[in-house]
Amino acid sequence: MKRSILSTVIAGLIVSGSAIAYEGKPATAVTEAANASVQASLPFSDKTDFDEATRGFIADLQEGQIVRDDGKPAYSMEDFRFLKGDAPTTANPSLWRQSVLNANSGLFEVTEGVYQVRSWDLANISFIRGTSGWIVIDPLTSTETSAAAIKLLREKVEDLPVSAVILTHSHGDHFGGVKGIVTQEQIDSGDVEVIAPVHFFEESVNENLMAGNQMSRRASYMYGNLLPKSPTGTLGSGLGTTTSAGEFTIVEPTIEISKTPTSLTVDGIDMEFMYTPGAEAPAELMFYIPRFKALMQAEEINKTQHNLYTLRGAKVRSGLDWSKYIQQTIEQYGDEVEISFGSHHWPTWGNERIVDFWEGQRDTYRYIHDETLRLANKGMTMLEVAEAVKLPESLSSGFANRGYYGSVSHNAKAQYQLYYGWFSGNPAELHELPPVEEGRKFIEYMGGADNVIEKARVDFARGEYRWVATALNHVVFAEPENTEAKELLADSLEQMGYQAESGPWRNFYLSGARELRTGVMSAVTPNTSSPDIIKSLSLETYLDYLGVRLNHPEAAKTELAFNVVMPDVNEKFMMKVENGVLNYTMSKQMEEPQATITLDRDILDAINLRQISTEDAIRGGEIRIKGEKARVDEFIALLDVFPFWFNIVTP
């Protein structure tokens, strides 16, 4: 997937009632024509995906939602029931088609002995009938959804215990619900083995923690969490519907996969594992099951073009590496495979169809990677490359290669960034003004905001929404109270959202339009700091994050030096603040610190889980300070608390 621990949970936020009441404006004639053009350009008459997305259906939850202990919904299938029939004029028909397919929910038989529950969360949970029990693959985001899935499996297929868990990769929608299907005691006793790629646990706990607040806020746009689920709101993410909003957990693997191939027998089922790090996730694996001639493709192969860069913000992925993993899969299993199923979407059956599907996915990532570098080496800038790269019709006509989640445009930019970074080489772009200052000069040169708005209205009527958005963004940053500019900018973003084939693009455009019209809305959110995650963080990770939170300009005015002792975990370290940065050394103590701080690791966890404040812990004696307490207070005061609901489309 595509997102951090924090943003995974944020992506499942429970939106307040005001979000449901919000409805957008109608599609313009220009948007209707653009969407009609898409309808005419793709093979919509091919219903194979619809047959495969419903093949093997067994049952769904009649109540239409999964509820948490507090009575609030962890996930609602009913929210996506509007997705049926032909696309409305307010939706790209290609994205609508994908969203209709993604909304098929329930328990499905893939083949005898292999089952999936789909669309009860962003991802799929899969089950393999082993000799003694169920082998569970990727137990979703929340314990509530995974527990409901295995309950339905036991009711409708066979009531067996869990014998093993396979976690394909280090994104939260594939492991967060693990304690809904297995307990830590079952793992510790050896009754249940947990298989994952090497570095799964570290990557899952730490990924994007340093940048988590910014990513999580942007994830609220990317996944449409502030939008109604409707023909003028979010249709889902293209990769699936949306994440659940329940209890988020994690366990450590008992078996780690670190090379290709690795052969294991898991509860009587022979499996051949492939280690595929650094493409879709930092730690990932796929595996082949000879008995079923089936590949579990994880998230390396999907019914959409995936992200080489995710719009919430993350490290760029290599399309070259991604394509090579798929090529290795084709070389190893292409002659015999009969079933290909994954962590998202619906399976594919039949050797010829599967190999064609795999080759299309392989060549999509390779084409974008190679063509980006070819054009860049001819002197084109990132924006020029993104505009120029177009998939050949042999790829773009395949629905599985369409940009429902990633897009050719932002994936091409990602490959440019991977090799060349943010700078185009043009010195005029080396030290540009920030948005507010740039906006003020822009409207000054254009003869004032009224003049820009007047010209923008003409261009809006022509359907030139991209330029209207560019021009009016300058006005809004120069004059954030200019209601007329904000309304017209919102209208432009909205029409681009209606035309977008990518689910995240649609969600970004429509979320921006809503925020321009109604302001920043503080929605109700779940607790983003899961106890399992907090307690799994290493002390080094804690300290690195404290270094990020340090107010560096203010910290540069002082020097601080502390010893820290944690008796319950037999840990000690020293840390210093100087030159505006925090440095630390583990397992050492300085001779003359300003203060020595003694606290148990459990207290540090409780503080991070907001179960106790630092001040209360000091007052209650859980934190003991020997030396200059005022210096410790000074350090605490230097730690920033990041606001979540910061502005995105206004200064």
Side-chain angles (χ1 to χ4, degrees):
M1 191 170 122
K2 53 262 77 256
R3 48 191 193 277
S4 66
I5 295 297
L6 295 177
S7 60
T8 293
V9 185
I10 282 288
L13 14 124
I14 303 166
V15 183
S16 66
S18 60
I20 305 304
Y22 178 86
E23 289 295 337
K25 295 181 179 181
T28 64
V30 172
T31 292
E32 289 187 23
N35 286 340
S37 176
V38 172
Q39 183 73 47
S41 68
L42 292 171
F44 284 91
S45 60
D46 184 348
K47 300 298 182 183
T48 307
D49 281 336
F50 288 88
D51 294 338
E52 291 187 331
T54 55
R55 177 174 169 172
F57 176 75
I58 297 173
D60 203 356
L61 285 185
Q62 289 187 345
E63 51 268 40
Q65 66 176 358
I66 298 166
V67 180
R68 305 187 315 196
D69 289 342
D70 61 7
K72 295 178 180 178
Y75 183 85
S76 172
M77 304 82 165
E78 287 296 326
D79 284 350
F80 295 94
R81 298 297 189 218
F82 73 93
L83 287 163
K84 55 188 175 183
D86 294 334
T89 57
T90 54
N92 181 299
S94 183
L95 176 60
W96 182 266
R97 175 188 182 277
Q98 178 79 351
S99 302
V100 170
L101 288 162
N102 285 340
N104 284 298
S105 62
L107 173 65
F108 297 82
E109 182 183 61
V110 177
T111 190
E112 186 177 357
V114 181
Y115 302 85
Q116 288 187 307
V117 171
R118 302 199 287 269
S119 299
W120 283 16
D121 210 315
L122 182 66
N124 302 330
I125 183 171
S126 303
F127 305 92
I128 299 172
R129 176 39 161 111
T131 300
S132 63
W134 290 115
I135 303 166
V136 183
I137 308 161
D138 287 358
L140 307 178
T141 310
S142 303
T143 59
E144 293 87 348
T145 52
S146 62
I150 198 166
K151 180 175 183 288
L152 184 64
L153 176 77
R154 285 166 170 161
E155 289 174 353
K156 299 297 183 180
V157 181
E158 191 172 3
D159 188 0
L160 296 171
V162 173
S163 58
V165 178
I166 301 174
L167 307 173
T168 63
H169 61 291
S170 56
H171 289 145
D173 53 327
H174 303 274
F175 65 80
V178 62
K179 289 187 178 176
I181 51 99
V182 68
T183 66
Q184 188 63 55
E185 290 72 25
Q186 289 174 306
I187 298 169
D188 292 342
S189 68
D191 291 339
V192 176
E193 55 190 8
V194 179
I195 302 166
V198 68
H199 306 307
F200 160 83
F201 192 71
E202 304 96 302
E203 293 290 353
S204 298
V205 169
N206 295 345
E207 188 188 39
N208 300 324
L209 176 66
M210 303 300 174
N213 192 68
Q214 167 81 238
M215 290 183 184
S216 297
R217 172 69 169 108
R218 283 163 59 168
S220 73
Y221 265 47
M222 181 171 172
Y223 295 98
N225 301 129
L226 306 179
L227 299 170
K229 297 173 178 64
S230 74
T232 57
T234 182
L235 310 181
S237 67
L239 187 68
T241 50
T242 189
T243 52
S244 59
E247 182 186 14
F248 189 79
T249 59
I250 192 170
V251 297
E252 293 194 56
T254 58
I255 298 174
E256 294 185 322
I257 305 301
S258 61
K259 64 180 182 179
T260 300
T262 297
S263 296
L264 292 176
T265 300
V266 182
D267 191 19
I269 306 294
D270 291 337
M271 298 181 181
E272 298 171 10
F273 288 87
M274 292 162 281
Y275 180 49
T276 60
E280 193 276 329
E284 190 152 2
L285 58 77
M286 298 188 284
F287 61 92
Y288 186 73
I289 314 166
R291 177 185 298 186
F292 304 115
K293 296 186 177 180
L295 178 80
M296 205 299 161
Q297 65 204 30
E299 204 166 326
E300 304 288 24
I301 303 173
N302 303 276
K303 297 290 187 175
T304 179
Q305 181 185 148
H306 211 293
N307 283 314
L308 298 178
Y309 164 77
T310 176
L311 299 181
R312 64 174 171 83
K315 294 178 181 179
V316 170
R317 303 158 183 174
S318 169
L320 180 61
D321 290 348
W322 203 319
S323 69
K324 287 184 175 181
Y325 288 138
I326 301 176
Q327 173 63 16
Q328 290 169 5
T329 305
I330 294 170
E331 292 171 357
Q332 188 67 32
Y333 303 111
D335 290 341
E336 62 183 82
V337 65
E338 293 294 338
I339 300 169
S340 187
F341 67 104
S343 300
H344 292 279
H345 305 123
W346 52 97
T348 307
W349 289 267
N351 181 265
E352 185 176 348
R353 274 183 46 74
I354 290 169
V355 173
D356 182 64
F357 168 41
W358 289 357
E359 289 176 344
Q361 287 274 285
R362 174 199 64 190
D363 293 345
T364 294
Y365 300 122
R366 184 74 190 239
Y367 188 96
I368 293 171
H369 174 275
D370 290 359
E371 179 67 354
T372 295
L373 291 183
R374 184 184 75 86
L375 296 176
N377 278 311
K378 291 169 72 73
M380 294 177 69
T381 67
M382 181 180 71
L383 297 181
E384 291 168 333
V385 166
E387 203 71 12
V389 175
K390 308 292 181 187
L391 291 179
E393 202 227 346
S394 58
L395 291 174
S396 66
S397 61
F399 285 111
N401 306 323
R402 304 292 297 185
Y404 303 121
Y405 193 53
S407 73
V408 173
S409 175
H410 78 253
N411 281 341
K413 291 177 181 177
Q415 299 310 275
Y416 187 100
Q417 179 189 340
L418 179 65
Y419 288 91
Y420 304 108
W422 60 269
F423 182 44
S424 71
N426 184 338
E429 299 172 6
L430 186 57
H431 195 200
E432 295 174 285
L433 290 170
V436 171
E437 288 81 355
E438 185 178 66
R440 288 171 180 164
K441 295 304 293 185
F442 179 89
I443 65 170
E444 177 189 332
Y445 274 45
M446 290 288 287
D450 290 344
N451 197 36
V452 177
I453 293 169
E454 181 182 350
K455 293 177 183 295
R457 289 198 182 282
V458 174
D459 285 339
F460 181 88
R462 294 171 177 158
E464 297 178 12
Y465 305 128
R466 288 173 68 185
W467 172 248
V468 171
T470 297
L472 291 178
N473 185 62
H474 286 304
V475 178
V476 169
F477 271 78
E479 299 180 4
E481 302 307 318
N482 191 319
T483 303
E484 189 177 6
K486 288 197 291 187
E487 286 290 339
L488 188 53
L489 175 55
D491 290 347
S492 301
L493 295 177
E494 185 171 62
Q495 295 304 315
M496 288 192 284
Y498 291 165
Q499 293 181 33
E501 187 174 33
S502 163
W505 280 42
R506 177 185 176 94
N507 291 336
F508 260 92
Y509 283 134
L510 298 185
S511 296
R514 171 164 191 171
E515 197 162 298
L516 285 162
R517 289 169 177 160
T518 64
V520 176
M521 184 188 73
S522 299
V524 179
T525 66
N527 183 359
T528 60
S529 299
S530 157
D532 274 14
I533 298 300
I534 291 295
K535 292 175 182 179
S536 299
L537 290 172
S538 67
L539 284 175
E540 290 90 340
T541 300
Y542 269 131
L543 294 171
D544 289 338
Y545 186 55
L546 286 182
V548 171
R549 288 182 55 197
L550 195 67
N551 184 323
H552 306 102
E554 290 299 314
K557 300 173 184 177
T558 189
E559 292 188 1
L560 303 170
F562 308 124
N563 286 335
V564 181
V565 180
M566 292 186 166
D568 64 331
V569 290
N570 194 28
E571 289 274 8
K572 61 183 179 180
F573 56 90
M574 63 183 192
M575 62 181 186
K576 290 184 177 182
V577 173
E578 54 190 353
N579 299 317
V581 297
L582 171 66
N583 289 295
Y584 59 88
T585 304
M586 302 303 296
S587 304
K588 288 190 177 181
Q589 302 275 267
M590 65 189 82
E591 291 185 3
E592 296 183 2
Q594 293 166 341
T596 296
I597 306 166
T598 302
L599 76 162
D600 285 341
R601 169 64 190 259
D602 285 346
I603 296 300
L604 180 61
D605 291 339
I607 290 170
N608 280 281
L609 288 166
R610 299 179 184 178
Q611 296 168 347
I612 187 173
S613 70
T614 304
E615 294 77 8
D616 287 345
I618 292 172
R619 280 194 294 269
E622 287 93 350
I623 297 177
R624 300 177 296 283
I625 300 171
K626 179 181 178 181
E628 301 178 53
K629 180 179 179 298
R631 290 290 197 166
V632 179
D633 293 339
E634 182 182 357
F635 173 72
I636 293 170
L638 286 170
L639 297 176
D640 266 344
V641 176
F642 303 130
F644 183 76
W645 296 108
F646 54 80
N647 294 348
I648 293 180
V649 289
T650 56

